[in-house]
Amino acid sequence: MDDPVLTARELVQDRFPAARAAFLAGSVLTDRRTPTSDLDIVVLLDGPPAPSRESLVYRGWPVELFVQTEAIWHSFADQEAAKRRSPLLAMCADGMLLTDTDGLGASLQDEARKRWAAGPPPLSDRERDYQRYVLTDLLDDLRGCTDPVERVYLVSHMLQRASELVLLVRGHWLGGGKWLSRRLAAADPRVHRALSEAAAQAIAGDPGVFAVVVAEVLDLAGGPLWDGYAIRGRS
């Protein structure tokens, strides 16, 4: 396939000649690039077809298009940041600026980098206690689980929950799928390695070490929480 940067620029020129700015992001710009890596492209327009999202193949490359106006960009960034998971900020902070006709691209990239570096909103006590409660409950389920099929699902869910809890209590951004693994590996390589290795052992039939590692994660957040946990008032 053609060079990803050149291909992305040509796509933007072909499809969005009036684009104010465009970014290329994703694994294609890193040493993590694989044969199935796609081109993640954020495009800024003044109006329609923004806002829209589209998946397509362009000159042999799978492409994900995120087409927005300046106002929609800020709205999406705010909504994602409130959930402590912002692919948009990450793409614009770490991505390559393909085109920038009026300075909007540079401005948004600067904002994205500052907001990403500042981290997500801090975890409240109520939110932390809920995360502790859920993971404690799952850990109890795992300790009593005798069904190997159910154990696979339990361990997979616990791996996600435990990874997210570490990131949340330490003020790091969340991620989904492979990005959850990458975020945790960057934030705490030791815990990332311990969780991932123990999870594989647990799925294979030996959950003991995984239970110990998850208990250590709970300790990072204040310890297990189940007996006496209550939600009062509006949830």
Side-chain angles (χ1 to χ4, degrees):
M1 291 188 290
D2 296 334
D3 178 85
V5 176
L6 293 177
T7 302
R9 284 201 174 103
E10 290 171 0
L11 185 152
V12 172
Q13 291 169 0
D14 288 348
R15 292 284 303 273
F16 309 102
R20 296 179 64 188
F23 300 85
L24 172 64
S27 301
V28 293
L29 297 176
T30 73
D31 57 7
R32 293 180 182 272
R33 174 178 165 181
T34 72
T36 60
S37 292
D38 56 13
L39 306 182
D40 294 320
I41 303 176
V42 179
V43 180
L44 276 299
L45 303 177
D46 276 329
S52 63
R53 177 172 176 174
E54 182 180 355
S55 300
L56 66 147
V57 176
Y58 184 85
R59 299 192 178 178
W61 282 97
V63 179
E64 291 280 359
L65 284 173
F66 306 87
V67 187
Q68 301 167 349
T69 64
E70 182 178 0
I72 292 294
W73 187 96
H74 282 100
S75 178
F76 267 112
D78 290 344
Q79 292 174 33
E80 291 180 348
K83 299 175 183 178
R84 302 183 179 90
R85 182 198 312 258
S86 183
L88 179 60
L89 286 179
M91 286 191 290
C92 293
D94 297 333
M96 175 182 292
L97 191 54
L98 296 172
T99 183
D100 188 12
T101 62
D102 59 6
L104 176 63
S107 175
L108 293 182
Q109 186 162 65
D110 182 63
E111 178 180 343
R113 286 172 175 171
K114 288 177 179 176
R115 294 180 68 171
W116 189 261
L123 197 66
S124 69
D125 291 344
R126 186 186 186 103
E127 290 172 315
R128 184 178 64 250
D129 286 350
Y130 176 72
Q131 295 295 331
R132 291 167 60 201
Y133 162 76
V134 170
L135 193 54
T136 300
D137 195 47
L138 290 169
L139 184 56
D140 287 342
D141 284 347
L142 178 66
R143 287 168 172 157
C145 183
T146 58
D147 185 322
V149 175
E150 289 184 355
R151 185 186 301 119
V152 172
Y153 286 86
L154 264 174
V155 170
S156 299
H157 188 45
M158 291 173 67
L159 177 61
Q160 176 179 340
R161 284 282 188 173
S163 300
E164 290 178 344
L165 185 55
V166 174
L167 292 171
L168 287 169
V169 298
R170 292 188 171 170
H172 293 279
W173 293 97
L174 298 176
K178 65 185 180 183
W179 286 104
L180 178 59
S181 174
R182 293 176 185 181
R183 300 267 187 268
L184 183 59
D188 194 324
R190 185 194 67 80
V191 171
H192 174 262
R193 182 172 57 254
L195 275 173
S196 55
E197 291 178 354
Q201 294 174 16
I203 289 174
D206 181 10
V209 176
F210 185 65
V212 170
V213 178
V214 170
E216 292 175 353
V217 168
L218 279 167
D219 287 340
L220 292 174
L225 179 61
W226 195 89
D227 187 18
Y229 174 73
I231 299 176
R232 296 181 175 86
R234 296 180 63 184
S235 59

